[in-house]
Amino acid sequence: PVENSLGGSIHRNYDLLLRHRLHIVGEVQLPVHHCLLALPGVRKEYLARVISHPQALSQCEHTLTKLGLNVTREAVDDTAGAAEYIAANNLRDTAAIASARAAELYGLQILADGIQDDSSNVTRFVMLAREPIIPRTDRPFKTSIVFAHDKGTSVLFKVLSAFAFRNISLTKIESRPHRNRPIRLVDDANVGTAKHFEYMFYVDFEASMAEVRAQNALAEVQEFTSFLRVLGSYPMDMTPWCPSSGD
C-alpha cells in the first residue's frame, strides 16, 4: 500500500521503494471496508483499547469517537495481525480494526461493521517484482520515478515543466526527506546562512516509457537532477469504481 484516500501517503513504503531494488509492475485501487472485532461475548463497553495498523486507526478515527469508545488506540504492524494477536492471547479488553475475513479466520465477532469514516475509502496498492515488465502503448500506462537535486527548490519547477510541455499528466507527487543530506545551507552575506530541508521527490505520471514523449521528458528531467530512478512503468488500474459495502 502506498496511499489511502483518508489517511494519505504511507511514507514508510515510499522509503522502502527507494531502499530496495524492486520494480513496480502494477497497481490496484481497492475499496477498504473496516470492522471492529473482538472475542465472542465481549461487549463494546468492556473494551480498554483498540489495536490496528496506523492507517486503519486514522481511517476510523471519527467513527470510533462516535461509537463512544473511551479506549486507548494502539498501532501494530497490520490489521489481520491485530485480530490474530487478540485471538492468540485471549484478550477480552481489546478490539481490533480489521476485515470481516479476519474475524472469520480468527474466530472473532464483529462488534461494528463498516466503521471507516468514509464509505468511499480506497487504498492504492502497487505490485512489486524483481524484474520490470516491458512497457507497452496498447493500453494506459503509469510510470513512477524518484529524483533529487542539488540546486534548490527552483529546479522542481523545471522538472514539472518537462511534463507539462509534453502534455503528460501527473497523478501524484510526494516529497520525502533526503536521509543522506537532510539540510542544505545557503550563504548570503547580507542575511547570514539559510537552512533548507533537502528532499527526494516521488512522481507518478500517466505515460508509458515506451512512448517517445515520456522518454524525452525524463531525458530533460535528468539534466536538472542529481539523481533519477524509474521505479516502474506499469498498466494503470482501470477497474470501474465501486465504494466498499458490507457484502
Side-chain angles (χ1 to χ4, degrees):
V2 290
E3 57 182 319
N4 175 265
S5 58
L6 298 180
S9 298
I10 300 161
H11 295 133
R12 172 167 171 75
N13 287 348
Y14 274 95
D15 295 339
L16 290 173
L17 283 172
L18 183 61
R19 185 182 307 173
H20 299 286
R21 297 295 300 190
L22 295 174
H23 303 271
I24 302 175
V25 297
E27 67 172 1
V28 175
Q29 299 191 46
L30 184 69
V32 178
H33 189 87
H34 290 304
C35 300
L36 186 68
L37 312 180
L39 289 169
V42 171
R43 295 167 58 180
K44 285 185 290 187
E45 52 265 34
Y46 297 162
L47 297 175
R49 65 172 176 164
V50 172
I51 62 175
S52 195
H53 187 276
Q55 278 279 330
L57 290 171
S58 69
Q59 292 164 28
C60 303
E61 179 181 4
H62 299 302
T63 304
L64 288 177
T65 301
K66 289 178 182 177
L67 288 173
L69 296 178
N70 185 21
V71 294
T72 300
R73 303 172 189 184
E74 184 177 316
V76 295
D77 288 339
D78 59 82
T79 55
E84 181 184 28
Y85 181 74
I86 289 172
N89 293 277
N90 196 34
L91 301 176
R92 304 194 66 81
D93 65 343
T94 304
I97 296 174
S99 67
R101 175 62 174 156
E104 180 183 331
L105 286 172
Y106 301 114
L108 303 180
Q109 66 171 332
I110 298 176
L111 294 178
D113 191 17
I115 66 169
Q116 62 275 4
D117 292 338
D118 188 335
S119 61
S120 299
N121 184 27
V122 60
T123 295
R124 176 174 173 246
F125 294 84
V126 292
M127 293 175 278
L128 304 175
R130 294 183 184 274
E131 300 297 331
I133 60 173
I134 298 174
R136 306 193 310 272
T137 57
D138 60 339
R139 61 167 295 175
F141 258 60
K142 185 181 289 184
T143 300
S144 297
I145 64 172
V146 57
F147 65 86
H149 53 82
D150 297 324
K151 300 177 183 178
T153 54
S154 61
V155 172
L156 181 59
F157 172 77
K158 296 177 182 178
V159 168
L160 299 182
S161 296
F163 295 103
F165 177 73
R166 294 169 177 87
N167 199 29
I168 297 176
S169 298
L170 303 186
T171 60
K172 174 78 173 177
I173 181 167
E174 179 75 30
S175 61
R176 297 292 296 144
H178 196 311
R179 291 177 179 267
N180 296 329
R181 191 176 61 252
I183 296 291
R184 175 170 55 89
L185 302 180
V186 180
D187 292 316
D188 189 312
N190 296 320
V191 297
T193 300
K195 301 179 180 66
H196 302 282
F197 279 104
E198 289 281 18
Y199 294 99
M200 309 290 293
F201 290 94
Y202 294 80
V203 170
D204 295 339
F205 60 88
E206 292 184 347
S208 168
M209 284 308 299
E211 298 179 59
V212 173
R213 62 175 184 150
Q215 297 166 10
N216 290 341
L218 288 199
E220 184 175 337
V221 168
Q222 201 157 22
E223 296 178 10
F224 304 121
T225 56
S226 57
F227 167 78
L228 172 65
R229 179 174 149 196
V230 177
L231 297 171
S233 191
Y234 48 92
M236 292 176 57
D237 183 359
M238 303 298 290
T239 305
W241 166 245
C242 180
S244 64
S245 68
D247 297 336

PDB file of all heavy atoms in Angstrom, residues 200-222:
ATOM      1  N   MET A 200      13.762  14.102  -1.420  1.00  0.00           N
ATOM      2  CA  MET A 200      13.590  13.226  -2.570  1.00  0.00           C
ATOM      3  C   MET A 200      12.154  13.433  -3.038  1.00  0.00           C
ATOM      4  O   MET A 200      11.237  13.557  -2.214  1.00  0.00           O
ATOM      5  CB  MET A 200      13.796  11.756  -2.186  1.00  0.00           C
ATOM      6  CG  MET A 200      15.078  11.453  -1.438  1.00  0.00           C
ATOM      7  SD  MET A 200      16.542  11.614  -2.461  1.00  0.00           S
ATOM      8  CE  MET A 200      16.292  10.268  -3.613  1.00  0.00           C
ATOM      9  N   PHE A 201      11.953  13.475  -4.340  1.00  0.00           N
ATOM     10  CA  PHE A 201      10.606  13.665  -4.888  1.00  0.00           C
ATOM     11  C   PHE A 201      10.170  12.407  -5.644  1.00  0.00           C
ATOM     12  O   PHE A 201      10.888  11.932  -6.520  1.00  0.00           O
ATOM     13  CB  PHE A 201      10.566  14.872  -5.822  1.00  0.00           C
ATOM     14  CG  PHE A 201      10.721  16.182  -5.105  1.00  0.00           C
ATOM     15  CD1 PHE A 201      11.968  16.768  -4.968  1.00  0.00           C
ATOM     16  CD2 PHE A 201       9.629  16.826  -4.554  1.00  0.00           C
ATOM     17  CE1 PHE A 201      12.119  17.972  -4.304  1.00  0.00           C
ATOM     18  CE2 PHE A 201       9.766  18.033  -3.886  1.00  0.00           C
ATOM     19  CZ  PHE A 201      11.017  18.601  -3.752  1.00  0.00           C
ATOM     20  N   TYR A 202       9.007  11.904  -5.268  1.00  0.00           N
ATOM     21  CA  TYR A 202       8.392  10.767  -5.965  1.00  0.00           C
ATOM     22  C   TYR A 202       7.278  11.325  -6.856  1.00  0.00           C
ATOM     23  O   TYR A 202       6.433  12.085  -6.388  1.00  0.00           O
ATOM     24  CB  TYR A 202       7.795   9.772  -4.972  1.00  0.00           C
ATOM     25  CG  TYR A 202       8.818   9.065  -4.100  1.00  0.00           C
ATOM     26  CD1 TYR A 202       9.358   9.692  -2.981  1.00  0.00           C
ATOM     27  CD2 TYR A 202       9.226   7.775  -4.398  1.00  0.00           C
ATOM     28  CE1 TYR A 202      10.283   9.044  -2.178  1.00  0.00           C
ATOM     29  CE2 TYR A 202      10.144   7.102  -3.601  1.00  0.00           C
ATOM     30  CZ  TYR A 202      10.677   7.750  -2.485  1.00  0.00           C
ATOM     31  OH  TYR A 202      11.590   7.106  -1.693  1.00  0.00           O
ATOM     32  N   VAL A 203       7.273  10.920  -8.111  1.00  0.00           N
ATOM     33  CA  VAL A 203       6.283  11.420  -9.059  1.00  0.00           C
ATOM     34  C   VAL A 203       5.679  10.241  -9.829  1.00  0.00           C
ATOM     35  O   VAL A 203       6.402   9.354 -10.294  1.00  0.00           O
ATOM     36  CB  VAL A 203       6.919  12.420 -10.052  1.00  0.00           C
ATOM     37  CG1 VAL A 203       5.959  12.743 -11.191  1.00  0.00           C
ATOM     38  CG2 VAL A 203       7.321  13.701  -9.339  1.00  0.00           C
ATOM     39  N   ASP A 204       4.358  10.235  -9.953  1.00  0.00           N
ATOM     40  CA  ASP A 204       3.650   9.302 -10.838  1.00  0.00           C
ATOM     41  C   ASP A 204       3.083  10.115 -12.000  1.00  0.00           C
ATOM     42  O   ASP A 204       2.475  11.167 -11.783  1.00  0.00           O
ATOM     43  CB  ASP A 204       2.486   8.613 -10.116  1.00  0.00           C
ATOM     44  CG  ASP A 204       2.938   7.714  -8.977  1.00  0.00           C
ATOM     45  OD1 ASP A 204       4.111   7.295  -8.970  1.00  0.00           O
ATOM     46  OD2 ASP A 204       2.113   7.442  -8.088  1.00  0.00           O
ATOM     47  N   PHE A 205       3.254   9.623 -13.213  1.00  0.00           N
ATOM     48  CA  PHE A 205       2.677  10.314 -14.361  1.00  0.00           C
ATOM     49  C   PHE A 205       2.049   9.325 -15.333  1.00  0.00           C
ATOM     50  O   PHE A 205       2.438   8.157 -15.407  1.00  0.00           O
ATOM     51  CB  PHE A 205       3.702  11.204 -15.067  1.00  0.00           C
ATOM     52  CG  PHE A 205       4.920  10.495 -15.610  1.00  0.00           C
ATOM     53  CD1 PHE A 205       4.928   9.942 -16.893  1.00  0.00           C
ATOM     54  CD2 PHE A 205       6.076  10.407 -14.841  1.00  0.00           C
ATOM     55  CE1 PHE A 205       6.046   9.319 -17.404  1.00  0.00           C
ATOM     56  CE2 PHE A 205       7.208   9.772 -15.344  1.00  0.00           C
ATOM     57  CZ  PHE A 205       7.194   9.223 -16.627  1.00  0.00           C
ATOM     58  N   GLU A 206       1.049   9.813 -16.080  1.00  0.00           N
ATOM     59  CA  GLU A 206       0.267   8.965 -16.969  1.00  0.00           C
ATOM     60  C   GLU A 206       0.908   8.901 -18.353  1.00  0.00           C
ATOM     61  O   GLU A 206       0.575   9.662 -19.262  1.00  0.00           O
ATOM     62  CB  GLU A 206      -1.168   9.490 -17.075  1.00  0.00           C
ATOM     63  CG  GLU A 206      -1.961   9.350 -15.785  1.00  0.00           C
ATOM     64  CD  GLU A 206      -3.405   9.791 -15.945  1.00  0.00           C
ATOM     65  OE1 GLU A 206      -3.726  10.422 -16.978  1.00  0.00           O
ATOM     66  OE2 GLU A 206      -4.213   9.520 -15.046  1.00  0.00           O
ATOM     67  N   ALA A 207       1.864   7.990 -18.481  1.00  0.00           N
ATOM     68  CA  ALA A 207       2.506   7.728 -19.769  1.00  0.00           C
ATOM     69  C   ALA A 207       3.347   6.468 -19.616  1.00  0.00           C
ATOM     70  O   ALA A 207       3.806   6.139 -18.518  1.00  0.00           O
ATOM     71  CB  ALA A 207       3.376   8.902 -20.215  1.00  0.00           C
ATOM     72  N   SER A 208       3.542   5.793 -20.729  1.00  0.00           N
ATOM     73  CA  SER A 208       4.375   4.595 -20.743  1.00  0.00           C
ATOM     74  C   SER A 208       5.788   4.963 -21.166  1.00  0.00           C
ATOM     75  O   SER A 208       5.982   5.846 -22.019  1.00  0.00           O
ATOM     76  CB  SER A 208       3.799   3.569 -21.726  1.00  0.00           C
ATOM     77  OG  SER A 208       4.725   2.523 -21.973  1.00  0.00           O
ATOM     78  N   MET A 209       6.778   4.277 -20.605  1.00  0.00           N
ATOM     79  CA  MET A 209       8.159   4.532 -21.012  1.00  0.00           C
ATOM     80  C   MET A 209       8.418   4.043 -22.429  1.00  0.00           C
ATOM     81  O   MET A 209       9.499   4.259 -22.975  1.00  0.00           O
ATOM     82  CB  MET A 209       9.132   3.878 -20.027  1.00  0.00           C
ATOM     83  CG  MET A 209       9.274   4.622 -18.705  1.00  0.00           C
ATOM     84  SD  MET A 209       9.658   6.384 -18.909  1.00  0.00           S
ATOM     85  CE  MET A 209      11.229   6.305 -19.763  1.00  0.00           C
ATOM     86  N   ALA A 210       7.438   3.387 -23.040  1.00  0.00           N
ATOM     87  CA  ALA A 210       7.546   3.038 -24.458  1.00  0.00           C
ATOM     88  C   ALA A 210       7.222   4.234 -25.358  1.00  0.00           C
ATOM     89  O   ALA A 210       7.469   4.185 -26.560  1.00  0.00           O
ATOM     90  CB  ALA A 210       6.621   1.870 -24.787  1.00  0.00           C
ATOM     91  N   GLU A 211       6.657   5.298 -24.774  1.00  0.00           N
ATOM     92  CA  GLU A 211       6.307   6.492 -25.544  1.00  0.00           C
ATOM     93  C   GLU A 211       7.496   7.443 -25.641  1.00  0.00           C
ATOM     94  O   GLU A 211       8.205   7.681 -24.650  1.00  0.00           O
ATOM     95  CB  GLU A 211       5.136   7.219 -24.898  1.00  0.00           C
ATOM     96  CG  GLU A 211       3.848   6.415 -24.828  1.00  0.00           C
ATOM     97  CD  GLU A 211       2.738   7.190 -24.154  1.00  0.00           C
ATOM     98  OE1 GLU A 211       2.393   8.289 -24.657  1.00  0.00           O
ATOM     99  OE2 GLU A 211       2.224   6.730 -23.124  1.00  0.00           O
ATOM    100  N   VAL A 212       7.691   8.008 -26.815  1.00  0.00           N
ATOM    101  CA  VAL A 212       8.805   8.924 -27.033  1.00  0.00           C
ATOM    102  C   VAL A 212       8.680  10.154 -26.135  1.00  0.00           C
ATOM    103  O   VAL A 212       9.673  10.655 -25.604  1.00  0.00           O
ATOM    104  CB  VAL A 212       8.875   9.341 -28.516  1.00  0.00           C
ATOM    105  CG1 VAL A 212       9.927  10.434 -28.721  1.00  0.00           C
ATOM    106  CG2 VAL A 212       9.188   8.135 -29.389  1.00  0.00           C
ATOM    107  N   ARG A 213       7.445  10.638 -25.929  1.00  0.00           N
ATOM    108  CA  ARG A 213       7.259  11.842 -25.104  1.00  0.00           C
ATOM    109  C   ARG A 213       7.717  11.602 -23.667  1.00  0.00           C
ATOM    110  O   ARG A 213       8.287  12.489 -23.023  1.00  0.00           O
ATOM    111  CB  ARG A 213       5.818  12.322 -25.139  1.00  0.00           C
ATOM    112  CG  ARG A 213       4.794  11.326 -24.594  1.00  0.00           C
ATOM    113  CD  ARG A 213       3.409  11.894 -24.548  1.00  0.00           C
ATOM    114  NE  ARG A 213       2.486  10.944 -23.937  1.00  0.00           N
ATOM    115  CZ  ARG A 213       1.407  11.294 -23.256  1.00  0.00           C
ATOM    116  NH1 ARG A 213       1.118  12.575 -23.097  1.00  0.00           N
ATOM    117  NH2 ARG A 213       0.619  10.373 -22.730  1.00  0.00           N
ATOM    118  N   ALA A 214       7.497  10.382 -23.130  1.00  0.00           N
ATOM    119  CA  ALA A 214       7.948  10.057 -21.781  1.00  0.00           C
ATOM    120  C   ALA A 214       9.471   9.949 -21.738  1.00  0.00           C
ATOM    121  O   ALA A 214      10.114  10.423 -20.791  1.00  0.00           O
ATOM    122  CB  ALA A 214       7.306   8.756 -21.304  1.00  0.00           C
ATOM    123  N   GLN A 215      10.039   9.341 -22.753  1.00  0.00           N
ATOM    124  CA  GLN A 215      11.496   9.227 -22.820  1.00  0.00           C
ATOM    125  C   GLN A 215      12.153  10.604 -22.895  1.00  0.00           C
ATOM    126  O   GLN A 215      13.143  10.869 -22.202  1.00  0.00           O
ATOM    127  CB  GLN A 215      11.890   8.377 -24.032  1.00  0.00           C
ATOM    128  CG  GLN A 215      11.398   6.936 -23.976  1.00  0.00           C
ATOM    129  CD  GLN A 215      11.511   6.226 -25.309  1.00  0.00           C
ATOM    130  OE1 GLN A 215      12.126   6.724 -26.246  1.00  0.00           O
ATOM    131  NE2 GLN A 215      10.885   5.053 -25.417  1.00  0.00           N
ATOM    132  N   ASN A 216      11.582  11.482 -23.701  1.00  0.00           N
ATOM    133  CA  ASN A 216      12.145  12.837 -23.827  1.00  0.00           C
ATOM    134  C   ASN A 216      11.965  13.640 -22.540  1.00  0.00           C
ATOM    135  O   ASN A 216      12.842  14.420 -22.158  1.00  0.00           O
ATOM    136  CB  ASN A 216      11.482  13.569 -24.995  1.00  0.00           C
ATOM    137  CG  ASN A 216      11.881  12.989 -26.338  1.00  0.00           C
ATOM    138  OD1 ASN A 216      12.890  12.285 -26.444  1.00  0.00           O
ATOM    139  ND2 ASN A 216      11.104  13.273 -27.376  1.00  0.00           N
ATOM    140  N   ALA A 217      10.821  13.446 -21.877  1.00  0.00           N
ATOM    141  CA  ALA A 217      10.595  14.155 -20.614  1.00  0.00           C
ATOM    142  C   ALA A 217      11.640  13.758 -19.578  1.00  0.00           C
ATOM    143  O   ALA A 217      12.223  14.615 -18.896  1.00  0.00           O
ATOM    144  CB  ALA A 217       9.193  13.858 -20.086  1.00  0.00           C
ATOM    145  N   LEU A 218      11.918  12.456 -19.455  1.00  0.00           N
ATOM    146  CA  LEU A 218      12.910  12.011 -18.470  1.00  0.00           C
ATOM    147  C   LEU A 218      14.320  12.420 -18.860  1.00  0.00           C
ATOM    148  O   LEU A 218      15.152  12.694 -17.983  1.00  0.00           O
ATOM    149  CB  LEU A 218      12.828  10.489 -18.294  1.00  0.00           C
ATOM    150  CG  LEU A 218      11.610   9.955 -17.541  1.00  0.00           C
ATOM    151  CD1 LEU A 218      11.863   8.537 -17.030  1.00  0.00           C
ATOM    152  CD2 LEU A 218      11.217  10.846 -16.373  1.00  0.00           C
ATOM    153  N   ALA A 219      14.597  12.475 -20.157  1.00  0.00           N
ATOM    154  CA  ALA A 219      15.911  12.958 -20.588  1.00  0.00           C
ATOM    155  C   ALA A 219      16.111  14.405 -20.155  1.00  0.00           C
ATOM    156  O   ALA A 219      17.205  14.805 -19.714  1.00  0.00           O
ATOM    157  CB  ALA A 219      16.043  12.824 -22.098  1.00  0.00           C
ATOM    158  N   GLU A 220      15.045  15.207 -20.250  1.00  0.00           N
ATOM    159  CA  GLU A 220      15.127  16.604 -19.806  1.00  0.00           C
ATOM    160  C   GLU A 220      15.223  16.693 -18.291  1.00  0.00           C
ATOM    161  O   GLU A 220      16.007  17.488 -17.753  1.00  0.00           O
ATOM    162  CB  GLU A 220      13.915  17.377 -20.308  1.00  0.00           C
ATOM    163  CG  GLU A 220      13.963  18.861 -19.969  1.00  0.00           C
ATOM    164  CD  GLU A 220      12.812  19.642 -20.578  1.00  0.00           C
ATOM    165  OE1 GLU A 220      12.231  19.178 -21.579  1.00  0.00           O
ATOM    166  OE2 GLU A 220      12.494  20.718 -20.036  1.00  0.00           O
ATOM    167  N   VAL A 221      14.445  15.875 -17.588  1.00  0.00           N
ATOM    168  CA  VAL A 221      14.498  15.869 -16.121  1.00  0.00           C
ATOM    169  C   VAL A 221      15.908  15.539 -15.647  1.00  0.00           C
ATOM    170  O   VAL A 221      16.412  16.123 -14.675  1.00  0.00           O
ATOM    171  CB  VAL A 221      13.481  14.852 -15.559  1.00  0.00           C
ATOM    172  CG1 VAL A 221      13.725  14.608 -14.069  1.00  0.00           C
ATOM    173  CG2 VAL A 221      12.055  15.344 -15.780  1.00  0.00           C
ATOM    174  N   GLN A 222      16.545  14.614 -16.320  1.00  0.00           N
ATOM    175  CA  GLN A 222      17.883  14.180 -15.907  1.00  0.00           C
ATOM    176  C   GLN A 222      18.893  15.328 -15.969  1.00  0.00           C
ATOM    177  O   GLN A 222      19.876  15.341 -15.229  1.00  0.00           O
ATOM    178  CB  GLN A 222      18.348  13.022 -16.793  1.00  0.00           C
ATOM    179  CG  GLN A 222      19.451  12.182 -16.174  1.00  0.00           C
ATOM    180  CD  GLN A 222      19.504  10.786 -16.767  1.00  0.00           C
ATOM    181  OE1 GLN A 222      19.023  10.554 -17.872  1.00  0.00           O
ATOM    182  NE2 GLN A 222      20.091   9.855 -16.047  1.00  0.00           N
TER     183      GLN A 222
END
